[in-house]
Amino acid sequence: MKSVESNLQIITEKIAKACEKVGRDPEEVTIIAVTKYVTIERAQEALKAGIIHLGENRDQELLKKYEVLGNQPIWHFIGTLQTRKVKKIIDKVDYIHSLDRLSLAEEIHKRANRKIPCFVQVNVSGEESKHGLPPEEVLPFIQQLAMYSNIEIVGLMTMAPYIKDEQILRNCFRSLKQLQDDIQNLKLPYAPCTELSMGMSNDYEIAVEEGATFVRIGTSLVGE
Ligand SMILES: *Cc1c(COP(=O)(O)O)cnc(C)c1O
């Protein structure tokens, strides 16, 4: 297994190149190391290599790692979140990437004792297996969130289809960017919506070219 440090160097260079191609500042892109497949030791290696942001998609695994790592990393919850699990993780996480329904918003609002930065998860590709709201439901959904004062919509998140076709991936990311711009332009006080969480091991360079501000990388950074 290659060191996280050497993987990180390669990924950082590729992100810099993608930014250069489209005239973006690489500083705008934050790497989240998705540690869901790996040990606590490997997560610690990532932190030593300079990673600050960690992503987990299951409450139990997040709690296990949190017990050891505490709030040294910035924690991102990136997986499907069951409403009844909210109270277990709400004091541990810094960002939730998978807000996709009102009942979940209500529970986060109720259990949190501070504003929680959330991404609305969007199913851009329309694949049935994917979670998230269809694009046309995103704005009406966000408009219903004004009353939940512990929720701040910082941006939108998507998972692209698991394919190689670059044009399909690009279109998917571009649609999300367009939607994010539209919502940002509304200047809703509780939904600044300036961020885009998109791009994984297979497609982060395209995502960065299309405007990603958070990329979520597991396999090619820390391993599977
Ligand atoms: C697992 C996962 C990732 C990382 O996937 P890789 O292909 O291993 O980089 C990113 N986002 C979400 C939501 C995930 O569940």
Side-chain angles (χ1 to χ4, degrees):
M1 193 159 53
K2 283 217 219 136
S3 72
V4 177
E5 196 182 358
S6 68
N7 291 338
L8 179 59
Q9 198 178 345
I10 293 166
I11 292 168
T12 306
E13 278 168 21
K14 287 186 173 172
I15 289 176
K17 275 210 184 103
C19 284
E20 198 181 282
K21 210 167 146 187
V22 296
R24 294 187 67 200
D25 179 355
E27 294 280 314
E28 294 170 14
V29 184
T30 299
I31 298 172
I32 301 171
V34 176
T35 48
K36 65 186 185 194
Y37 313 111
V38 302
T39 60
I40 292 173
E41 288 71 28
R42 191 71 169 166
Q44 283 169 321
E45 191 192 330
L47 297 176
K48 271 216 190 91
I51 290 284
I52 300 167
H53 296 257
L54 297 186
E56 284 287 336
N57 70 338
R58 288 185 201 283
D59 60 293
Q60 290 205 333
E61 194 54 37
L62 183 131
L63 293 173
K64 228 170 81 187
K65 290 198 173 85
Y66 186 91
E67 234 174 71
V68 177
L69 304 175
N71 57 12
Q72 179 198 355
I74 295 174
W75 288 103
H76 295 256
F77 193 85
I78 61 171
T80 307
L81 184 52
Q82 288 174 283
T83 307
R84 65 191 166 86
K85 300 285 176 62
V86 168
K87 62 174 184 288
K88 290 189 175 173
I89 61 147
I90 197 71
D91 294 331
K92 320 276 192 292
V93 298
D94 299 289
Y95 290 85
I96 294 174
H97 289 243
S98 46
L99 181 57
D100 62 355
R101 57 193 190 278
L102 222 43
S103 58
L104 182 57
E106 199 176 320
E107 182 69 6
I108 292 169
H109 170 72
K110 188 170 123 193
R111 300 288 179 182
N113 52 22
R114 65 189 202 287
K115 251 191 214 317
I116 308 291
C118 296
F119 290 83
V120 173
Q121 185 169 352
V122 187
N123 183 358
V124 181
S125 61
E127 284 176 290
E128 264 178 46
S129 60
K130 292 259 172 9
H131 289 269
L133 289 166
E136 67 276 12
E137 288 178 24
V138 172
L139 179 56
F141 174 68
I142 289 177
Q143 284 170 327
Q144 287 176 290
L145 298 175
M147 60 200 283
Y148 303 115
S149 54
N150 283 338
I151 290 187
E152 180 174 39
I153 302 302
V154 294
L156 304 181
M157 178 276 220
T158 199
M159 286 175 84
Y162 194 77
I163 49 159
K164 282 223 167 77
D165 187 317
E166 192 180 311
Q167 201 52 49
I168 295 179
L169 294 170
R170 203 173 282 287
N171 288 344
C172 171
F173 296 139
R174 205 167 278 178
S175 304
L176 196 70
K177 170 67 184 163
Q178 182 64 55
L179 192 54
Q180 176 254 315
D181 275 344
D182 291 347
I183 293 163
Q184 183 182 356
N185 287 338
L186 297 176
K187 299 193 173 4
L188 302 169
Y190 61 92
C193 204
T194 51
E195 310 301 319
L196 271 177
S197 168
M198 60 190 197
M200 312 183 4
S201 290
N202 288 314
D203 54 21
Y204 67 88
E205 291 162 271
I206 303 171
V208 168
E209 285 178 23
E210 297 299 332
T213 61
F214 286 89
V215 290
R216 311 177 308 266
I217 306 181
T219 311
S220 64
L221 179 55
V222 292
E224 44 189 338

